[in-house]
Amino acid sequence: MSKKIHTEAVDQLFEAVLSLKTKEECYIFFEDVCTINELLSLSQRLEVAKMLRQKKTYLEISEKTGASTATISRVNRSLIYGNDGYELVFERIGEAENRK
């Protein structure tokens, strides 16, 4: 059930994201592009991935984030079988936090 995501439109979206320079620019752009619920869902998934990496239980994750077990399971599958995108981001976030 994979959809082809490598399209010109997706390339343009990623170029737009890569052009952003500050967190404030990200807020401005993403508030225009996403609904509040979409943005909150994306940030929730990132928090779920972080907690899964910390070996938290589904119950702990659900209680803290409000994520459904289906969402937690989906994120867990991405961590195990995905393209390591979460790992890439967490590694870079960790490097940035270590420089502070």
Side-chain angles (χ1 to χ4, degrees):
M1 187 172 102
S2 71
K3 296 180 180 177
K4 185 178 176 188
I5 66 166
H6 291 274
T7 66
E8 188 175 327
V10 173
D11 282 351
Q12 289 176 4
L13 173 64
F14 291 162
E15 287 296 327
V17 171
L18 290 169
S19 76
L20 302 171
K21 293 183 172 50
T22 66
K23 196 180 294 187
E24 186 58 33
E25 287 181 356
C26 289
Y27 273 101
I28 291 167
F29 178 73
F30 281 100
E31 284 182 31
D32 282 350
V33 172
C34 298
T35 65
I36 291 171
N37 285 339
E38 288 168 337
L39 195 50
L40 292 175
S41 291
L42 290 171
S43 64
Q44 180 188 64
R45 289 180 196 154
L46 191 62
E47 183 66 16
V48 166
K50 181 179 173 183
M51 293 180 74
L52 284 167
R53 290 175 77 241
Q54 296 168 344
K55 306 296 184 200
K56 303 291 184 186
T57 67
Y58 277 33
L59 181 60
E60 291 172 307
I61 295 168
S62 180
E63 287 176 349
K64 181 165 191 257
T65 67
S68 68
T69 55
T71 295
I72 298 167
S73 180
R74 189 176 309 117
V75 172
N76 195 42
R77 276 193 309 275
S78 292
L79 287 171
I80 296 169
Y81 303 110
N83 297 314
D84 294 327
Y86 283 114
E87 291 302 323
L88 175 67
V89 168
F90 287 131
E91 180 180 305
R92 292 193 180 157
I93 289 172
E95 289 174 5
E97 288 177 356
N98 290 336
R99 285 184 291 222
K100 290 181 181 177

